[in-house]
Amino acid sequence: MRVEYINPFVEAAFNIMQEVLQEDVVRKELYLKKTSQPVMGVAALVGLAGDVEGRVLIDMSKESAIGIASAMNGEKLSEIDELVKATITELANMVTGQAVTKLHDLGFKFDLTPPSIITGDNMQVTDLNVEALIVPLSVPQGLVEINVAIRERI
Amino acid sequence: MKTTSDFPSLNERDPEGVSSDGKAYRVLVVDDSMFVTKQINQILTSEGFEVVATAADGAEGVEKYKELYPNIDIVTMDITMPRMDGITALEKIIEFDSDAKVIMVSALGKQDLVKKSLMVGAKNYIVKPLNRSQVLERVVSVCK
């Protein structure tokens, strides 16, 4: 997978989280996974289809999701309820929206699916025939992993 | 002596959401995201606007507009929604009331859809992530 694909998502996530949380965001080392990988607890999944195809996962622990949703709503939330899910969905919408604008400017044409929120314990994601690039972003509420598995359509 | 005279007024500015004759502008918020609806609600009510109704998709938005008309001043309309998208809902509202003041709410990267809405008759647009001053500036400019 080419790194060009992940950078717009990481930059967008970095900018958007800085803006909505009003906190410092620290970008950690990028890593690559070829096999199945664990999902932390709350993941927003967005599919891509067009010149390139694949998916983007915005993955975080339940605690981080609650913390981020609390900060974005300006109120203390305590469980993964409808509002937390709506807030993380919106976060994913904003991040993928901004990233896609950049990728379209670079000449890639594709569509996005609306985000789905997946929650649960001990989950794994497997992408056959395409490796995933992961960039962890650290915020005071916890770690958010931008996990991108995209390939060019053959 | 009146007790209120003991307190200096710290904020002489009138809230933006109230018209010159002292009535709050009435807003209908159409958005499928509970989070965005809540955000718009908080921003607008803090400036004296009155959010009279919310709708979770375009079809419900059109229905509520017709129900409330003429007791409605402004609509904020999301673009991407299930059942009926915001542009179709905008067309139906304009068809019903050609003076309707509709402001589109869009994610970044949907410039074509924003342009299309402005051609159809939207009065302005707001880009997410929502920012308090941008929301107020755009909504107030449409009210005046």
Side-chain angles (χ1 to χ4, degrees):
Chain A
M1 188 181 117
R2 287 156 64 185
V3 177
E4 285 107 298
Y5 298 139
I6 191 173
N7 278 339
F9 290 98
V10 175
E11 277 168 38
F14 189 96
N15 295 338
I16 298 279
M17 291 210 293
Q18 214 164 36
E19 188 172 342
V20 299
L21 298 174
Q22 300 284 319
E23 301 273 10
D24 285 336
V25 180
V26 180
R27 182 180 171 160
K28 307 246 172 166
E29 275 305 301
L30 172 144
Y31 64 99
L32 192 137
K33 278 264 181 79
K34 277 188 180 166
T35 49
S36 300
Q37 23 172 335
V39 176
M40 286 193 272
V42 177
L45 177 74
V46 177
L48 290 80
D51 293 351
V52 294
E53 56 189 11
R55 55 91 187 139
V56 176
L57 263 187
I58 299 177
D59 184 17
M60 64 198 87
S61 70
K62 286 181 188 164
E63 294 72 31
S64 308
I66 292 170
I68 287 169
S70 297
M72 286 174 71
N73 282 288
E75 67 179 84
K76 184 93 192 82
L77 304 168
S78 54
E79 55 177 336
I80 305 282
D81 57 9
E82 291 307 309
L83 182 58
V84 170
K85 290 181 199 166
T87 308
I88 301 298
T89 302
E90 199 47 41
L91 180 69
N93 261 329
M94 292 187 280
V95 169
T96 49
Q98 193 174 99
V100 163
T101 309
K102 277 185 200 158
L103 283 164
H104 282 185
D105 290 346
L106 292 172
F108 299 105
K109 295 278 172 274
F110 54 87
D111 286 321
L112 294 177
T113 63
S116 303
I117 298 288
I118 302 166
T119 56
D121 301 313
N122 298 321
M123 297 185 297
Q124 288 198 329
V125 58
T126 307
D127 299 274
L128 289 176
N129 306 325
V130 54
E131 68 256 17
L133 276 175
I134 298 150
V135 176
L137 297 174
S138 169
V139 290
Q141 288 83 2
L143 207 61
V144 176
E145 288 196 343
I146 311 303
N147 180 324
V148 180
I150 301 176
R151 63 176 175 194
E152 270 146 84
R153 181 166 280 181
I154 310 153
Chain B
M1 192 172 81
K2 278 189 209 157
T3 50
T4 50
S5 63
D6 289 341
F7 298 98
S9 173
L10 295 174
N11 189 359
E12 294 286 0
R13 189 175 66 91
D14 288 328
E16 304 270 21
V18 177
S19 64
S20 47
D21 57 1
K23 279 198 206 121
Y25 290 110
R26 294 154 301 184
V27 188
L28 165 64
V29 178
V30 187
D31 204 302
D32 62 330
S33 166
M34 190 201 282
F35 168 67
V36 177
T37 306
K38 191 161 166 261
Q39 249 192 334
I40 295 177
N41 199 324
Q42 278 170 349
I43 294 171
L44 294 181
T45 47
S46 73
E47 273 296 326
F49 289 88
E50 187 189 349
V51 175
V52 287
T54 60
D57 62 60
E60 194 188 343
V62 175
E63 243 169 63
K64 293 243 166 111
Y65 190 90
K66 289 181 178 171
E67 230 174 85
L68 289 164
Y69 182 83
N71 300 310
I72 181 81
D73 301 305
I74 288 198
V75 182
T76 71
M77 179 75 75
D78 186 21
I79 292 186
T80 318
M81 287 184 289
R83 226 152 67 96
M84 184 192 287
D85 67 84
I87 298 180
T88 311
L90 167 72
E91 282 168 351
K92 293 198 182 291
I93 289 177
I94 298 279
E95 205 179 281
F96 171 78
D97 169 18
S98 58
D99 295 325
K101 291 174 174 169
V102 181
I103 300 171
M104 305 310 283
V105 178
S106 160
L108 201 71
K110 303 249 158 67
Q111 287 94 331
D112 293 351
L113 295 178
V114 169
K115 262 184 226 158
K116 192 174 163 199
S117 331
L118 293 172
M119 307 273 286
V120 172
K123 295 286 186 281
N124 212 327
Y125 66 96
I126 302 168
V127 176
K128 293 188 276 193
L130 300 178
N131 148 315
R132 185 183 159 82
S133 53
Q134 190 207 35
V135 171
L136 287 171
E137 177 203 305
R138 303 278 163 99
V139 174
V140 168
S141 79
V142 170
C143 294
K144 303 267 149 94

